[in-house]
Amino acid sequence: HADPHECFLFLLQIIGVFAGFPYEFNLLNPPTKQINQYILAVRSEYLAVYNREFQQWSPLVDVFYNMVVTFIKCVSCGDTQRNIAPMSVIDLPIKVGDGTLVSYLNTFMNCEQVVDYKCDKCGVIGNTTLNRRFMTVTRNIVIALKRYSATARGMIKDERPVLYDNVLDMRPYYAGDLDLYYKLRAVIIHSGGLEGGHYINICNNTTKNENTG
């Protein structure tokens, strides 16, 4: 997730050198408008992760990087482990669901299966589920469908269609109280396999209310 951020930083620094002025980056606390009650409860932990991940800031942080908290609960002792990390792209598995984007997102956020999880507290190994919630959200959400899976015959691509609406309700996945509705802006379609193929970009032209490819 750090590659676009680092690339953008490098580009701005090069532009600054040729323009005769340095592009300065500073540690920034997360935007105060996104501070909710949950973040206040774990503020020191949240700030430590934020400052570690974004030691240098760029506009990409505000545009694409969401902060996500992950919960995993031991089925034996009930201990819950929490992890906070940035997420610029939602890498969405499409295995458990009814063929709709919302069903796959529900599985990813609420009940993703974890096999052979070892509890740090009691040491018991077993299967459990993983839950996620967005601590902060940006104006843009990028979702990548994980269509490839490893099999005995190699990597196989799942070609099944995934149905989605023009508006995505993200309220159930946020650890705060905001109206989070995202409008579909673009879809990137890959045809082919791992050895090669083509990408087709379909964008919504909001100025003329028509689609352009």
Side-chain angles (χ1 to χ4, degrees):
H1 67 268
D3 290 345
H5 175 60
E6 293 175 355
C7 180
F8 194 74
L9 288 174
F10 178 76
L11 176 62
L12 290 176
Q13 289 169 346
I14 294 299
I15 293 175
V17 170
F18 280 94
F21 61 89
Y23 194 99
E24 298 292 339
F25 303 95
N26 298 311
L27 285 175
L28 297 178
N29 287 336
T32 54
K33 65 180 180 180
Q34 288 193 353
I35 298 295
N36 55 54
Q37 291 183 349
Y38 181 82
I39 295 179
L40 289 175
V42 294
R43 184 177 179 85
S44 59
E45 180 182 354
Y46 173 70
L47 289 176
V49 174
Y50 188 94
N51 290 332
R52 183 184 71 242
E53 294 290 340
F54 303 120
Q55 295 183 21
Q56 290 182 310
W57 179 89
S58 82
L60 284 181
V61 173
D62 290 340
V63 175
F64 290 108
Y65 281 79
N66 306 283
M67 294 293 280
V68 177
V69 57
T70 300
F71 303 96
I72 185 167
K73 185 176 182 179
C74 176
V75 296
S76 178
C77 69
D79 180 65
T80 300
Q81 294 292 321
R82 178 180 64 227
N83 181 60
I84 301 173
M87 179 184 293
S88 59
V89 177
I90 302 176
D91 289 318
L92 192 62
I94 57 172
K95 293 182 179 180
V96 181
D98 60 7
T100 63
L101 181 68
V102 171
S103 69
Y104 297 130
L105 192 58
N106 282 334
T107 301
F108 178 74
M109 297 298 295
N110 296 319
C111 54
E112 184 177 4
Q113 296 296 314
V114 179
V115 179
D116 293 336
Y117 167 74
K118 184 178 180 180
C119 179
D120 292 337
K121 185 175 181 180
C122 68
V124 173
I125 299 176
N127 299 339
T128 184
T129 57
L130 182 149
N131 302 310
R132 298 178 176 90
R133 285 296 180 269
F134 287 96
M135 299 180 69
T136 61
V137 287
T138 57
R139 295 182 59 185
N140 302 278
I141 294 289
V142 179
I143 300 176
L145 302 181
K146 298 177 67 174
R147 292 189 173 274
Y148 285 95
S149 57
T151 68
R153 296 180 296 166
M155 299 296 291
I156 301 297
K157 184 178 181 180
D158 190 339
E159 300 280 2
R160 292 177 299 171
V162 175
L163 305 179
Y164 52 86
D165 295 324
N166 287 329
V167 177
L168 180 62
D169 184 3
M170 295 292 289
R171 292 177 301 172
Y173 319 118
Y174 180 57
D177 185 18
L178 286 176
D179 287 335
L180 297 176
Y181 297 96
Y182 288 85
K183 293 182 179 180
L184 181 67
R185 296 302 185 191
V187 176
I188 299 176
I189 303 172
H190 175 258
S191 63
L194 292 175
E195 301 297 329
H198 298 278
Y199 287 97
I200 302 172
N201 187 23
I202 303 175
C203 302
N204 184 17
N205 188 339
T206 57
T207 57
K208 296 182 179 180
N209 195 26
E210 61 184 19
N211 292 332
T212 57

